[in-house]
Amino acid sequence: MDAANEAQVQIRLVAKQKKYEVPDAPLVVPQQLQRYGLSEIVNHLLGLEAPVPFDFLVDGQFLRESIASYLKEH
Protein backbone atom coordinates (compact mmCIF):
# COMPACT_ATOMS: atom_id res chain seq x y z
CA MET A 1 0.00 0.00 0.00
CA ASP A 2 1.49 3.34 -0.96
CA ALA A 3 1.47 6.42 1.26
CA ALA A 4 -1.37 8.07 -0.66
CA ASN A 5 -3.72 5.16 0.12
CA GLU A 6 -2.48 4.34 3.61
CA ALA A 7 -5.07 4.58 6.39
CA GLN A 8 -4.54 7.56 8.64
CA VAL A 9 -5.70 8.58 12.08
CA GLN A 10 -5.94 11.90 13.89
CA ILE A 11 -3.91 12.17 17.09
CA ARG A 12 -3.14 14.82 19.68
CA LEU A 13 0.19 14.82 21.50
CA VAL A 14 0.36 15.92 25.14
CA ALA A 15 3.62 16.12 27.07
CA LYS A 16 4.09 15.67 30.79
CA GLN A 17 7.31 17.69 30.72
CA LYS A 18 7.09 21.32 29.62
CA LYS A 19 10.36 21.15 27.65
CA TYR A 20 8.79 18.54 25.35
CA GLU A 21 5.47 20.29 24.70
CA VAL A 22 4.45 20.46 21.06
CA PRO A 23 1.75 22.71 19.57
CA ASP A 24 -1.70 21.74 20.81
CA ALA A 25 -3.16 20.86 17.45
CA PRO A 26 -4.41 17.58 16.01
CA LEU A 27 -2.05 15.72 13.68
CA VAL A 28 -2.99 13.21 11.00
CA VAL A 29 -0.53 10.31 10.88
CA PRO A 30 -0.41 6.86 9.23
CA GLN A 31 -2.05 4.18 11.38
CA GLN A 32 0.95 1.93 10.83
CA LEU A 33 3.20 4.20 12.92
CA GLN A 34 4.68 2.78 16.09
CA ARG A 35 6.56 4.39 18.97
CA TYR A 36 9.68 5.05 16.89
CA GLY A 37 7.76 6.85 14.13
CA LEU A 38 5.86 8.95 16.65
CA SER A 39 9.17 9.83 18.34
CA GLU A 40 10.53 11.00 14.99
CA ILE A 41 7.53 13.31 14.59
CA VAL A 42 7.96 14.79 18.07
CA ASN A 43 11.69 15.28 17.56
CA HIS A 44 10.97 17.06 14.27
CA LEU A 45 8.28 19.29 15.84
CA LEU A 46 10.64 20.22 18.67
CA GLY A 47 13.59 20.78 16.33
CA LEU A 48 15.84 18.68 18.53
CA GLU A 49 19.43 18.31 17.30
CA ALA A 50 20.01 15.03 19.13
CA PRO A 51 17.00 12.70 18.78
CA VAL A 52 15.22 11.79 22.01
CA PRO A 53 13.28 8.50 22.26
CA PHE A 54 9.78 8.99 23.64
CA ASP A 55 7.15 6.68 25.07
CA PHE A 56 3.50 7.22 24.26
CA LEU A 57 0.52 6.53 26.48
CA VAL A 58 -2.86 5.75 24.97
CA ASP A 59 -5.68 5.48 27.47
CA GLY A 60 -3.07 5.05 30.23
CA GLN A 61 -1.23 2.21 28.47
CA PHE A 62 2.16 2.36 26.78
CA LEU A 63 1.90 2.04 23.00
CA ARG A 64 3.96 -1.06 22.14
CA GLU A 65 2.48 -1.81 18.72
CA SER A 66 1.26 0.13 15.73
CA ILE A 67 -1.59 2.57 16.20
CA ALA A 68 -3.66 0.36 13.87
CA SER A 69 -3.09 -2.74 16.03
CA TYR A 70 -3.97 -0.82 19.17
CA LEU A 71 -7.18 0.51 17.62
CA LYS A 72 -8.13 -2.96 16.39
CA GLU A 73 -7.70 -4.47 19.88
CA HIS A 74 -9.47 -1.67 21.75
Side-chain angles (χ1 to χ4, degrees):
M1 183 179 289
D2 65 34
N5 294 324
E6 187 172 334
Q8 297 183 331
V9 64
Q10 181 174 304
I11 64 169
R12 186 174 300 267
L13 299 169
V14 179
K16 291 191 174 195
Q17 295 181 357
K18 189 153 185 75
K19 68 180 179 179
Y20 295 126
E21 287 181 353
V22 296
D24 184 23
L27 300 169
V28 177
V29 299
Q31 286 187 9
Q32 294 307 314
L33 280 185
Q34 298 182 357
R35 186 190 64 81
Y36 181 80
L38 291 170
S39 286
E40 287 184 316
I41 290 171
V42 172
N43 278 283
H44 176 75
L45 290 172
L46 295 173
L48 298 176
E49 301 227 358
V52 174
F54 293 97
D55 279 313
F56 297 88
L57 290 173
V58 181
D59 296 329
Q61 297 180 8
F62 286 106
L63 183 66
R64 298 291 184 228
E65 57 196 335
S66 71
I67 296 170
S69 294
Y70 177 85
L71 291 173
K72 204 179 273 188
E73 292 177 14
H74 297 91

